C-alpha cells in the first residue's frame, strides 16, 4: 500500500517551510491551512484558489485522509465511539463526548501501551507503534467532519489526550498535535480546553513544564503510597511517588496552573477512608484538583471491582474536609464501552 505522510502532521510553520522548499510562496500555507481546517475539504483538488501546480505537488507528497472509519457506535447519552483503521491496518479508538460546556474528543496516541497498568484495558496490548502527529490530528478532524455532515453547526471545543497510549512516551508527535489543533486560524482549540494525561513520566513532566505548550496536565496517581501504587501501576517501581511529586512541584512552580490528579477508586484496594487521609496529606497545599474516577471493570482484570457509591462519597468527603479540592468524574458512553480506560486497540490487522 502506498503510505503517504498525513498533511495534518505539519504545523503551519512547517507547511510554509515545505512549500518554500518546493518552490512555492510561503504565503500559500495560509490558504491551504484555511481549506484544511476551516473549509475542511479532504481533497487537495478542491482548494480552488491555490495554484494548480502547488495542489499537485502537495497531492504527490501528502495524503489528507489516512484513517478509515471502520465502525461507529453511538451511546444513549450521545457519546460516539469511532474505530479507525490506520494505513498499516491497525485499529485505534476515538471518543466524542457531549457535555454542558461543549463537545470533547478523547484521542489515542499509540497503538497499545507499554506502561501496562494492572487495571487498564489499553495496556493489555504492548505498544506496537507510536501514532504520528498527523494521525492524532486526523482523529479530531474525522470527528469534526462527522459533526459537519450532521449540519447542526456543532464544533469540537475540548480535547482530552486520554485514549489508548501514554502521550508522554510519544512526546514529539503529541507536541505537534497540540500545536496544530491550537492554531488560531485553524481548529483554534484553546490551551485551557486541552488536557493531557500521563501515568507519571517525571522527566517528561519537567520538559512539558519548560515548553511553550500551555495545556492542562492530568497525572494518574491512583494510590497514596509507593507500596500500593507499585501494586497497581508497575511504572511506580521506576518512577516512585517522590520523583513524581518533585516533577509535579517543578511544573506547578513553573506554570502556576492547577494539575488534575486522577484517582481511580478500586473496591477494597485504594478506596478506604485511611487512603483518603493519606492522599490528602500527600497532596498538602499543592495547587491540584483530585478527580475521583469510578472504575470501569475490565474482564481481563477481574481482581478489581468498582467501589460502592457510599465509599466514593465517603472518600470525597474526607478529601473535602481536609481542604483538598476534588470532584467525581461523570461517566460517558458506558453502554458502548467508550468509558475512560475501556478503550483497547484490537491490534488486529484487516486485509487492506
Ligand atoms: N496513559 C495515560 C492516558 C490514558 S489513560 C494515563 O494513564 O494517564 C486515561 C485515564 O484513564 C487514566 O487516568 C487511567 O488511569 C484511566 N483508566 C484506565 N483504565 C481505567 C478503567 N478501567 N476505569 C477507569 N479509568 C481508567
Ligand atoms: Fe497505559 Fe494509561 Fe492504560 Fe496505564 S492507564 S496502561 S499508562 S493507557
Amino acid at each position: 500500500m502506498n503510505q503517504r505522510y498525513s498533511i495534518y502532521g505539519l504545523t503551519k510553520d512547517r507547511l510554509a517551510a515545505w512549500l518554500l522548499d518546493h518552490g512555492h510562496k510561503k504565503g500559500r500555507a495560509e490558504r491551504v491551512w484555511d481549506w484544511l481546517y476551516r473549509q475542511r475539504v479532504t481533497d487537495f483538488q478542491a482548494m480552488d484558489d491555490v495554484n494548480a501546480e502547488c495542489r499537485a505537488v502537495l497531492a504527490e507528497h501528502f495524503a489528507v485522509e489516512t484513517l478509515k472509519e471502520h465502525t461507529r457506535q453511538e451511546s444513549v447519552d450521545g457519546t460516539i465511539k469511532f474505530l479507525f483503521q490506520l494505513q498499516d491496518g491497525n485499529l485505534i479508538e476515538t471518543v466524542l463526548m457531549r457535555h454542558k460546556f461543549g463537545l470533547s474528543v478523547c484521542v489515542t496516541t499509540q497503538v497499545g501501551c507499554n506502561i501496562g497498568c494492572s487495571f487498564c484495558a489499553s495496556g493489555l496490548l504492548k505498544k506496537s507503534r507510536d501514532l504520528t502527529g498527523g494521525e492524532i490530528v486526523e482523529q479530531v478532524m474525522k470527528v469534526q467532519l462527522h459533526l459537519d455532515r450532521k449540519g447542526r453547526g456543532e464544533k469540537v471545543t475540548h480535547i482530552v489526550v486520554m485514549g489508548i497510549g501514554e502521550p508522554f512516551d510519544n512526546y514529539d508527535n503529541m507536541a505537534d498535535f497540540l500545536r496544530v489543533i491550537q492554531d488560531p486560524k485553524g481548529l483554534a482549540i484553546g490551551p485551557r480546553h486541552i488536557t493531557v494525561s500521563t501515568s507519571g513520566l517525571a522527566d517528561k513532566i519537567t520538559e512539558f513544564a519548560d515548553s511553550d505548550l500551555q495545556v492542562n496536565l492530568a497525572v494518574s496517581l491512583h494510590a497514596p503510597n509507593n507500596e500500593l501504587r507499585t501494586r497497581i501501576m508497575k511504572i511506580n517501581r521506576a518512577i516512585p511517588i517522590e520523583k513524581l511529586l518533585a516533577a509535579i512541584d517543578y511544573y506547578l512552580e513553573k506554570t502556576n496552573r492547577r494539575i488534575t490528579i486522577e484517582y481511580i477508586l478500586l473496591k477494597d484496594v485504594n478506596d478506604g477512608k485511611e487512603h483518603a487521609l493519606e492522599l490528602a496529606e500527600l497532596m498538602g497545599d499543592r495547587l491540584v484538583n483530585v478527580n475521583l474516577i469510578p472504575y470501569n471493570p475490565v474482564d481481563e482484570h477481574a481482581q478489581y471491582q468498582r467501589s460502592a457509591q457510599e465509599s466514593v462519597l465517603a472518600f470525597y468527603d474526607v478529601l473535602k474536609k481536609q481542604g483538598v479540592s476534588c470532584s467525581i468524574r461523570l461517566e460517558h458512553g458506558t453502554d458502548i464501552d467508550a468509558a475512560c480506560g475501556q478503550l483497547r486497540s484490537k491490534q488486529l490487522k484487516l486485509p487492506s
Side-chain angles (χ1 to χ4, degrees):
M1 188 197 226
N2 175 23
Q3 296 197 5
R4 272 170 310 156
Y5 191 81
S6 165
I7 188 86
Y8 293 131
L10 296 184
T11 59
K12 205 196 290 145
D13 288 348
R14 289 230 311 273
L15 176 60
W18 191 93
L19 286 171
L20 202 58
D21 267 3
H22 288 77
H24 293 276
K25 285 196 216 98
K26 218 169 118 181
R28 286 210 176 110
E30 295 286 345
R31 288 309 309 141
V32 172
W33 196 264
D34 189 77
W35 280 111
L36 286 172
Y37 297 103
R38 289 289 168 99
Q39 319 290 330
R40 295 192 277 277
V41 299
T42 53
D43 180 355
F44 290 111
Q45 291 318 320
M47 303 180 174
D48 59 20
D49 60 0
V50 175
N51 140 316
E53 212 184 296
C54 179
R55 279 183 274 162
V57 75
L58 284 169
E60 189 191 327
H61 290 87
F62 298 100
V64 183
E65 296 193 276
T66 68
L67 305 185
K68 247 201 270 158
E69 188 177 306
H70 178 258
T71 44
R72 188 175 72 225
Q73 279 176 281
E74 192 148 353
S75 153
V76 287
D77 66 14
T79 301
I80 307 178
K81 179 166 82 169
F82 297 83
L83 193 61
F84 294 120
Q85 185 182 6
L86 306 173
Q87 286 187 101
D88 63 10
N90 280 305
L91 294 174
I92 57 158
E93 295 177 343
T94 307
V95 180
L96 167 73
M97 290 166 285
R98 291 169 192 282
H99 314 266
K100 285 206 190 85
F101 55 77
L103 297 182
S104 71
V105 171
C106 177
V107 295
T108 283
T109 52
Q110 297 179 316
V111 181
C113 181
N114 276 345
I115 308 292
C117 302
S118 66
F119 51 81
C120 175
S122 304
L124 285 167
L125 294 161
K126 276 207 153 305
K127 175 180 96 173
S128 66
R129 76 168 172 91
D130 290 328
L131 293 196
T132 62
E135 287 168 331
I136 311 175
V137 173
E138 194 177 344
Q139 294 171 57
V140 180
M141 292 306 294
K142 281 274 187 285
V143 175
Q144 184 58 58
L145 286 163
H146 171 78
L147 294 170
D148 291 346
R149 280 193 297 274
K150 295 272 172 205
R152 295 191 210 116
E154 288 183 310
K155 215 182 149 276
V156 174
T157 55
H158 290 67
I159 299 291
V160 288
V161 187
M162 293 192 186
I164 301 160
E166 168 49 55
F168 280 3
D169 180 40
N170 185 15
Y171 190 92
D172 292 345
N173 292 344
M174 177 208 66
D176 282 348
F177 160 69
L178 296 176
R179 292 202 170 92
V180 171
I181 61 167
Q182 285 187 62
D183 190 292
K185 299 247 175 84
L187 293 175
I189 300 176
R192 289 293 106 72
H193 285 192
I194 304 172
T195 303
V196 174
S197 173
T198 177
S199 57
L201 306 190
D203 294 348
K204 293 292 172 187
I205 293 176
T206 309
E207 187 175 339
F208 193 58
D210 287 336
S211 79
D212 60 340
L213 299 164
Q214 312 219 334
V215 310
N216 303 314
L217 176 67
V219 176
S220 297
L221 186 66
H222 307 325
N225 61 59
N226 280 323
E227 193 250 311
L228 193 52
R229 191 162 189 268
T230 302
R231 224 171 92 200
I232 300 176
M233 302 173 74
K234 62 180 196 245
I235 181 88
N236 195 64
R237 220 169 275 135
I239 309 170
I241 290 178
E242 299 72 43
K243 210 167 157 196
L244 180 53
L245 279 182
I248 285 176
D249 286 341
Y250 180 82
Y251 175 95
L252 289 173
E253 164 101 32
K254 200 79 208 246
T255 70
N256 208 27
R257 286 197 299 271
R258 187 184 292 274
I259 294 182
T260 298
I261 298 290
E262 295 164 284
Y263 194 103
I264 298 179
L265 288 163
L266 303 164
K267 185 172 188 238
D268 299 332
V269 175
N270 65 355
D271 65 345
K273 285 190 184 160
E274 69 281 14
H275 298 120
L277 279 171
E278 203 179 350
L279 178 62
E281 181 142 346
L282 190 68
M283 292 298 105
D285 57 4
R286 289 185 174 85
L287 184 63
V288 296
N289 180 69
V290 175
N291 195 208
L292 300 173
I293 310 177
Y295 179 58
N296 295 304
V298 174
D299 290 346
E300 292 85 347
H301 301 313
Q303 75 273 33
Y304 296 127
Q305 281 110 46
R306 166 186 290 240
S307 297
Q309 187 68 8
E310 309 84 77
S311 316
V312 176
L313 294 175
F315 200 97
Y316 174 87
D317 282 344
V318 171
L319 289 179
K320 279 266 158 181
K321 274 207 194 84
Q322 298 300 311
V324 178
S325 156
C326 60
S327 47
I328 300 175
R329 181 175 290 173
L330 275 180
E331 296 178 272
H332 294 270
T334 37
D335 56 327
I336 55 166
D337 277 0
C340 209
Q342 294 235 300
L343 306 184
R344 64 186 87 198
S345 87
K346 307 285 185 289
Q347 249 180 339
L348 111 120
K349 290 202 184 186
L350 300 172
S352 37

